[in-house]
Amino acid sequence: MATSTGRSLVSHDTQKRLQRIAVYLTALLISVFTIIPVYVMVVIAIQSPATTFAGGRVNLLPTQPSLRNFLVLLGSTDTVRYFVNSLVVTLGSTVLSTTIAVAAGYGLTRFDFTGKSLAARAVLFSYMFSPIVLAIPLYVVFSTLGLLNSHFALTLALTAISAPFCIWLMWQYFQTVPIALEESAWVRGASRWRTVRDVVLPVARPGYISAAIFAFAVAWNDFTMARVVMSRDEMYTITVGASLFLDRVSIGWGETMAVSLLISIPPFLIALFLQRYLLQGFSVGGLE
């Protein structure tokens, strides 16, 4: 019996060891497939085209780093204008989506009305539609209202894409905020608005920061809506502007990789410094 028990323990240890190895190998493969494209982007961005394509092949060892591609972007293209357009639209959409999500999420949580659960699920269901499905109807609406080629129209379009999920996320998060906290504030004479501002929102900070990050990611990475709503070059966002380097007779790979690197910096910084709130927010309601 002792021998059988020992074999069982050895078999269990071996199984755990194999599972651990499988997890490590999977993580390694995912890391490789993730890091290689980023590495290629960075290397091509920091080398001149002459160095990158020297000898008729692509040189992926940064032997002669150069800022040539970035200087071309800043001096000979409208990249700065595209970047500013993206910032304006992204910040507007993020603020609008988060505000709508907080108001709607709180209302769905604290107020009872007929069809509340159906309304909440309908909001989430609307997020399942691809942006391309909304593109043509929104184009017709904006064209009728004379809003094409404006930051306002693109902000509304991007808000329509991100707001449904943000509302659902805040609805889930507000359900974790104890109603006793609000009742305590009401007993002390606080109005509902002051209670929400001073009691509920501080507790729900991870939730609305997660919603804001999601809205930011949707707006910053958008290509479809910007391409549909904007037709003038000076109104393009950075994602659409970056694609112009691929429309040339001679593709500017150096400039394309350089602008791609610039596009990657804001999301990277947000994920780096706000990941704690992001994990807390998306862990609510079975989203982990």
Side-chain angles (χ1 to χ4, degrees), residues 28 98 154 170 234:
L28 179 62
T98 306
L154 185 54
M170 292 309 304
E234 65 271 16

Side-chain angles (χ1 to χ4, degrees), residues 99-175:
T99 303
I100 293 173
V102 169
Y106 182 82
L108 288 170
T109 305
R110 294 295 188 251
F111 299 102
D112 291 325
F113 55 89
T114 304
K116 182 174 74 171
S117 296
L118 179 62
R121 285 167 174 77
V123 167
L124 181 62
F125 178 75
S126 66
Y127 175 68
M128 298 179 184
F129 290 99
S130 172
I132 195 63
V133 176
L134 302 175
I136 303 304
L138 287 176
Y139 176 86
V140 173
V141 171
F142 293 146
S143 178
T144 303
L145 297 176
L147 295 176
L148 293 177
N149 290 302
S150 68
H151 292 146
F152 180 68
L154 185 54
T155 299
L156 291 181
L158 296 174
T159 301
I161 297 174
S162 60
F165 182 81
C166 292
I167 291 172
W168 190 83
L169 177 63
M170 292 309 304
W171 174 51
Q172 293 292 306
Y173 203 93
F174 278 130
Q175 293 180 47

